[in-house]
Amino acid sequence: QLQASGGGLVQAGGSLRLSCAASGLPFISYVMGWFRQAPGKEREFVGFITWSGSTDYADSVKGRFTISRDNAKKTVDLQMNSLKPEDTAVYYCAASSRTRDWATIRGYAYWGQGTLVTVSS
């Protein structure tokens, strides 16, 4: 199970940190991803972090968002800086045991419930 938290309302240019806590999974074996879904749009990839700490991000968030994980605490965080109104979305964390497709929805078997981030202009 995955539980995301930390969403809220922030002004453009501000920062927000999301956290996702995992339970019931061999956390260290999973790639952890973040996705988001804006109103009226499809869910899209934000970034992922592998078991060893390697990361990759969507072009739209590179240089602004950072993913980190704590394998001992079984948590993965998404630090979001320089937020823009277009970052407004429900953010989901997800866990993957696959060896590929980490930038795609199909690559993930487990999903959290989502947390809403609203960026005002």
Side-chain angles (χ1 to χ4, degrees), residues 35-44 88-92 116:
F35 290 76
R36 66 187 181 185
Q37 187 165 15
K41 295 187 177 181
E42 295 185 350
R43 193 171 300 190
E44 65 176 8
T88 294
V90 176
Y91 282 73
Y92 299 89
L116 176 63

Side-chain angles (χ1 to χ4, degrees), residues 36 44-48 55-67 78-84 87 91 103:
R36 66 187 181 185
E44 65 176 8
F45 168 72
V46 172
F48 67 75
T55 56
D56 194 17
Y57 301 92
D59 288 343
S60 59
V61 306
K62 277 182 181 176
R64 301 188 298 122
F65 290 12
T66 303
I67 298 175
L78 176 66
Q79 176 66 44
M80 304 184 293
N81 299 327
S82 302
L83 282 162
K84 306 174 182 179
D87 294 319
Y91 282 73

Side-chain angles (χ1 to χ4, degrees), residues 31-34 45-50 54-56 67 102-103 108:
V31 170
M32 300 300 297
W34 284 95
F45 168 72
V46 172
F48 67 75
I49 185 167
T50 69
S54 298
T55 56
D56 194 17
I67 298 175
W102 299 328
Y108 294 81

